[in-house]
Amino acid sequence: MHRLIENGLMFGNLIRVDSPILVERYNRALQHLTRRETALAEFHIDISGYSPEVGAELGDDQYLNHAGVNRQFILLTTDQKTAPLLNAKFSTSRGILKQFIQDNEAELFALTTRDAVAGELVNSVYDVDTPRKLFDIRKVTVEADTTKGTVATAKKLRDMISEFKTKPDAWFDDVLIGRMITLAKKTGDVTRNPVTLASAEFGQDNFWTAHFGGIYIFRGVEHPAAIIHGDKSALKDLPIAFEFDFEERRGIAKFLQLNDLAEPIVKARGVDAAAILHQKMDFMVAEVASTMGEDLTGATRRDLRALGRRYATLLPEAWQGLAALARWAEEGGPWPKISADHPAYFYTLRAKDHADADLVNMLLAELSPLDIRQLFICHKETFYKTYAGWSDEKRSYVVDFLVREYQVDKAGTREALFGHEATMEEPVAAPVRPTGPWTNNGGYEIRHDVIERVGPWGRIGGK
């Protein structure tokens, strides 16, 4: 993994903690949450305050995430909102923490100038020893305060102020006034500078969890289902209508279609579908070439085309399917029939524009693992596990590609691959040869009604 770390592809954007004051605050918060401390003088933390160096020192990568639920966090600075979340057990955790920091940025900035803020993502489940307990998680509440209890103390002071203003003869209550003065010394003037954190509750209808080998739970859709990375027979009696494992491609495809969660890349607005398809094909060529021992360091598109010709007979069926689709997109070739059973099927999809687009793209990344760019962007946990099993030739190519093609413009790449343009008038299709279900109207146009009815690769069931 050293190559990934050196190039900022692993543990990138972590926050450096190297001042004695911040280390002392971190230890105070760590003691407050876990009754443990670190002897390190400098280390790095993620958005939750987890440090891989501290984890190694303590021999516990889950020291802020016991049993993988109710993740605890330590905030030393609001800059942590840009950091990644390491060792994620739930796909929603980073988004919740980021939203909480953004919603309370001014308050957290003020609090962290004097102390660390420690907290927890709380739900009603403390241990997921059985898969059914995952379905008991309905919402997550963020609870946070400084290690000195500044927020709770400020609330007490506000309550006392309210009592003082409404209680008859409060001016003669020396005990109440004395307690107010004592608390004000700790909190400052809460009437002018309120010390409050907005309550934060987040629904947990649709999410991915790393527990039990990886499960995608979709409850907040019209047709709920659980999609399991592994043998679903080992997870019995789940309280959901449908269960699919990754071998049940037709079932997953039907689930995505019925809930209107995904769309074909070639139908997406504002994207260069042919370029995306060719890049996916290059990744497949790189996979074959690396298994043949080819040196892929610095390999260009031209180099990969040459390698593709050299190993044409070894290229997977998924490559052939994408090539046929690219020919249709670029040259007006025949429309390829790519059913859900075809290895190329999930490589041709991306999430539609909806609240769970990131989760769907995460699922699609696992279903199309040879697309190393999408796997890195959408599912880093799986990317790192997969990377560990690659040959050195492929590792070298992948790192070089991500540094050269992705790191230079992360936002632009994400927008090009997964962004959505506003709805506009349907464009006129380009003229194509009459080799598919076309109608003649001064040139051949695609019959959109047929595509909408059966999908551009035949019926989802492959019939």
Side-chain angles (χ1 to χ4, degrees), residues 70 119 163 178 235 271 320 331 387 406:
N70 296 294
E163 180 184 355
L235 308 179
V271 302
Q320 306 293 347
E331 305 168 11
Y387 177 93
Y406 174 64

Side-chain angles (χ1 to χ4, degrees), residues 49-320:
Y50 165 78
S51 167
E53 296 102 325
V54 174
E57 177 198 21
L58 299 177
D60 182 7
D61 284 340
Q62 300 296 326
Y63 70 92
L64 284 180
N65 196 21
H66 178 69
V69 290
N70 296 294
R71 185 154 192 149
Q72 297 172 306
F73 60 89
I74 298 172
L75 299 179
L76 298 179
T77 170
T78 54
D79 290 342
Q80 285 173 239
K81 68 182 179 181
T82 63
L85 178 66
L86 306 180
N87 298 331
K89 293 297 183 181
F90 290 90
S91 60
T92 52
S93 296
R94 183 180 184 275
I96 290 173
L97 283 168
K98 183 177 180 180
Q99 188 67 48
F100 173 72
I101 295 173
Q102 289 177 332
D103 290 347
N104 296 277
E105 191 152 6
E107 294 81 0
L108 289 171
F109 179 83
L111 291 171
T112 54
T113 59
R114 295 178 291 176
D115 196 3
V117 172
E120 186 174 352
L121 306 185
V122 181
N123 64 67
S124 61
V125 176
Y126 298 129
D127 190 14
V128 286
D129 53 347
T130 66
R132 289 185 66 89
K133 286 190 177 180
L134 291 169
F135 294 82
D136 292 334
I137 301 174
R138 294 287 176 174
K139 69 177 181 179
V140 171
T141 302
V142 183
E143 294 183 356
D145 201 345
T146 66
T147 60
K148 298 177 181 178
T150 304
V151 176
T153 302
K155 183 179 184 305
K156 290 181 182 178
L157 179 55
R158 286 196 303 274
D159 292 342
M160 289 181 186
I161 292 172
S162 178
E163 180 184 355
F164 181 79
K165 289 180 177 180
T166 58
K167 181 181 177 182
D169 301 323
W171 281 102
F172 303 102
D173 190 338
D174 293 338
V175 175
L176 177 60
I177 294 173
R179 291 169 60 197
M180 289 170 58
I181 293 172
T182 300
L183 293 182
K185 290 178 180 179
K186 298 179 181 179
T187 66
D189 186 350
V190 296
T191 59
R192 293 187 179 182
N193 302 294
V195 183
T196 60
L197 294 174
S199 60
E201 288 189 356
F202 299 85
Q204 292 288 94
D205 285 333
N206 305 327
F207 60 90
W208 167 87
T209 175
H211 292 284
F212 305 102
I215 305 175
Y216 293 84
I217 295 175
F218 289 89
R219 291 179 299 196
V221 294
E222 186 176 356
H223 304 279
I227 300 174
I228 300 158
H229 191 253
D231 182 9
K232 74 174 186 180
S233 63
L235 308 179
K236 298 179 180 179
D237 301 323
L238 297 183
I240 199 163
F242 295 99
E243 305 161 19
F244 305 106
D245 60 38
F246 276 31
E247 298 302 315
E248 297 177 284
R249 296 171 62 87
R250 290 191 182 188
I252 297 174
K254 189 71 174 177
F255 162 79
L256 294 173
Q257 182 205 41
L258 288 175
N259 292 295
D260 200 26
L261 295 176
E263 66 182 356
I265 294 170
V266 294
K267 291 181 65 180
R269 299 183 185 279
V271 302
D272 187 343
I276 294 174
L277 293 172
H278 279 296
Q279 188 63 76
K280 292 173 184 282
M281 291 160 60
D282 285 350
F283 295 146
M284 294 176 186
V285 172
E287 168 69 12
V288 172
S290 66
T291 61
M292 301 303 293
E294 294 283 352
D295 183 4
L296 298 175
T297 304
T300 64
R301 173 65 57 80
R302 179 179 297 176
D303 296 330
L304 290 170
R305 280 203 303 267
L307 289 170
R309 288 190 290 269
R310 183 181 306 173
Y311 298 111
T313 59
L314 301 179
L315 294 177
E317 189 179 357
W319 186 94
Q320 306 293 347

